[in-house]
Each structure stands twice: as C-alpha cells, then as structure tokens.
Amino acid sequence: MGLSDAKIVDGQAGFETGMGALVAALAGSNVISGPGMLDFESCQSLEKLVLDNEICGMALRMVRGVEARGDRLAGDLYGDIYAGDHFLTSAETLRWFREEVYRTGPVVDRDAYDTWVHRGKKSAWDRACLEVARILSSHTVEPLPDDRLAALMDVMKADARRMGIELPPLD
C-alpha cells in the first residue's frame, strides 16, 4: 500500500499512493512499505518519498477522526450573523482548530495563487526536489561501530552462501 505503478512522479503516482495509503490506514495497518516506490516496486524515488510522507500524514490524520468536544459539535453555526459572527470565528472553532487541522510540510503549497506566482510558480515536484536536496545536504550518517558492522557482514555473507552466491570482498 502506498506504492504506484506509475513510471514517473505524476498524477497517477499521487492518486494510487493516496488511495492505497488511505485504505491501509483505515484498515488499521501499521506498516506501509510503498511510499517512494514507482513501477510496482521496481524503482524508488526520494522525491516521491517526500511527497508520500505528506500523503501518509494526511491518511493518519483522517483515521484519527474528529473529536467531539464541548456540549455540541458545531452547536451554533451562525451566532449573531448580523454582528458578523459565524462558525469560523466562533470561540469553539478558534479553540480547537489547530488541533484538528493537519499541518503539511514544505512540499504542500497552501498559499493564494498570487503568492505562488510571486514565489516562482514552483510545482509540488519542484518543492519535493528542493526538500530532498535540503535533507541530503543537512543529514550526516554516523558510521556503525566496527563490531556491529562485522556482525551485519557475517549475516549478509551467510545468507549469500545459503543462496549459492559468493560475494566479492566487501571489506
């Protein structure tokens, strides 16, 4: 769930991943291995992985549902409409709004069209590329301690031998 048969990161990749992740989340799956995958598990895309992180976050938010708070949910939708009151400015809405809305990351653009144009008309793909570059440039990998690396190499070599494969020297 969360993977796509699409060959590139496009609309097909988005709707297949979104629907798959949502179905998995609604079914209660706690492991989804498809994010970032294209061409039915044949390809991994870091840009798609960044986009799929948002999809998975949205799916998890949907599964959480809307919590009923207070006496009634949306008890007074209009308030005193002649005084300018309405649901969006009610005390209840303002009190709970931030806890109910899913806040997206930098790859999702929620700005108005004019702001988007002013910022260079970057697509979701463009923003995903920038986020991948940011993550890769800021991330450092700590090397494994020698004993753990040796243990992992032993497991890998034993599995290869069991499959009839002789590995080249990897040290």
Side-chain angles (χ1 to χ4, degrees):
M1 304 308 262
L3 56 83
S4 173
D5 288 331
K7 310 312 179 256
I8 62 172
V9 180
D10 62 2
Q12 176 184 338
F15 73 72
E16 286 179 346
T17 298
M19 294 304 295
L22 183 58
V23 166
L26 289 170
S29 294
N30 61 3
V31 176
I32 299 178
S33 62
M37 291 183 187
L38 291 166
D39 196 14
F40 193 74
E41 298 180 335
S42 298
C43 179
Q44 182 75 26
S45 165
L46 294 176
E47 295 79 11
K48 183 175 181 299
L49 185 61
V50 166
L51 292 164
D52 292 353
N53 182 60
E54 296 295 341
I55 290 172
C56 290
M58 290 175 184
L60 289 172
R61 174 61 192 93
M62 178 171 271
V63 168
R64 196 175 88 214
V66 176
E67 184 179 332
R69 297 177 173 101
D71 295 334
R72 298 179 297 171
L73 184 62
D76 184 3
L77 287 176
Y78 302 106
D80 183 357
I81 59 174
Y82 297 108
D85 292 347
H86 55 80
F87 175 70
L88 294 177
T89 59
S90 75
E92 283 292 297
T93 299
L94 295 175
R95 182 175 175 199
W96 299 112
F97 177 76
R98 283 182 171 69
E99 290 185 34
E100 291 299 331
V101 170
Y102 174 73
R103 288 182 194 82
T104 58
V107 299
V108 176
D109 184 344
R110 299 268 190 244
D111 290 327
Y113 180 81
D114 291 341
T115 305
W116 177 75
V117 168
H118 179 71
R119 290 188 181 161
K121 300 181 185 179
K122 288 185 176 59
S123 67
W125 170 257
D126 296 331
R127 292 186 303 274
C129 290
L130 290 170
E131 183 65 2
V132 167
R134 184 197 67 75
I135 291 168
L136 291 177
S137 70
S138 65
H139 182 72
T140 57
V141 177
E142 295 294 323
L144 287 175
D146 289 341
D147 60 329
R148 289 186 186 172
L149 183 57
L152 286 172
M153 294 299 286
D154 290 344
V155 169
M156 188 171 70
K157 288 176 184 176
D159 281 350
R161 277 193 300 278
R162 196 177 73 244
M163 301 299 292
I165 300 170
E166 194 59 43
L167 294 177
L170 301 172
D171 304 305

